[in-house]
Amino acid sequence: MERGNEHLHRPHVLCLQEIWLYQCNDNFLGSLDDSYSYVCNSAEPPTDRFISGHAHGGVAILFRDGLRQISSVDIACKRLCGVQLVFDNVSFLIINVYMPVDQQMIEPHYVNSATDDAGNAFDDVLFEIEMLISSTTCDCIIVCGDNYECIVRARQRSVQETFRICAHQ
């Protein structure tokens, strides 16, 4: 590897979606590379009721241990995780999201009761992102992840809501 290009092969921050880990084994992320730390939100382990499939894929942010002034963001929503960091005197809020399907855009018989809570989980996650953005004092905000939408379909409510949040903030 050519000197000076290490960052191209070993990113400072890496956002992952659909990690498919339960909380009881999310420490696996720490064993991937000794030079990275992580924050994540994983699915709850199965309970006494039968659930077909996995509750959701889970999200994680891996970050190089050499980064200074980095801290995890306390987020209750299991479809989000976040970190705040300062790089070259600029503060960043990085939010990683695994969006649920917008239930208003699909047929009722396609909704999976194991993965989609009562009400509209899509709106709940958007609201949580909006609250995180509006309450931060960071200079820059990065929202990345699996947004479960195609932005070329600009008439979709999910795309319009995402653009609304970006424009408002």
Side-chain angles (χ1 to χ4, degrees):
M1 180 177 350
E2 184 179 322
R3 182 158 227 188
N5 290 332
E6 293 89 7
H7 65 280
L8 297 175
H9 301 284
R10 297 184 55 79
H12 293 294
V13 178
L14 180 64
C15 294
L16 302 171
Q17 302 82 38
E18 298 193 54
I19 57 174
W20 296 110
L21 297 172
Y22 287 120
Q23 288 177 348
C24 59
N25 60 4
D26 62 16
N27 60 352
F28 169 77
L29 294 169
S31 69
L32 294 175
D33 189 315
D34 291 341
S35 61
Y36 284 89
S37 295
Y38 69 94
V39 298
C40 71
N41 257 335
S42 304
E44 296 286 338
T47 61
D48 57 345
R49 68 183 180 103
F50 178 75
I51 297 177
S52 176
H54 205 278
H56 59 82
V59 289
I61 300 175
L62 279 67
F63 50 91
R64 298 281 299 272
D65 286 336
L67 289 174
R68 296 190 179 113
Q69 297 179 331
I70 190 163
S71 60
S72 64
V73 177
D74 187 27
I75 301 174
C77 177
K78 293 297 182 187
R79 291 180 174 270
L80 301 169
C81 68
V83 294
Q84 290 182 339
L85 65 95
V86 177
F87 189 75
D88 286 342
N89 295 320
V90 178
S91 60
F92 293 86
L93 169 63
I94 301 173
I95 301 169
N96 192 13
V97 60
Y98 182 72
M99 287 297 289
V101 173
D102 183 0
Q103 292 181 11
Q104 293 182 15
M105 298 297 297
I106 60 175
E107 295 294 326
H109 60 277
Y110 288 118
V111 175
N112 183 341
S113 61
T115 60
D116 298 314
D117 299 329
N120 194 338
F122 178 87
D123 289 330
D124 293 345
V125 175
L126 276 181
F127 178 77
E128 185 76 23
I129 292 170
E130 227 173 341
M131 291 299 97
L132 288 166
I133 291 172
S134 66
S135 66
T136 189
T137 59
C138 291
D139 302 315
C140 296
I141 300 163
I142 300 170
V143 179
C144 57
D146 184 346
N147 294 323
Y148 215 100
E149 59 194 27
C150 178
I151 62 171
V152 298
R153 297 181 186 144
R155 291 187 178 158
Q156 281 186 340
R157 187 182 78 90
S158 59
V159 175
Q160 291 173 353
E161 286 298 304
T162 302
F163 285 156
R164 182 190 60 76
I165 290 171
C166 293
H168 182 262
Q169 304 302 331

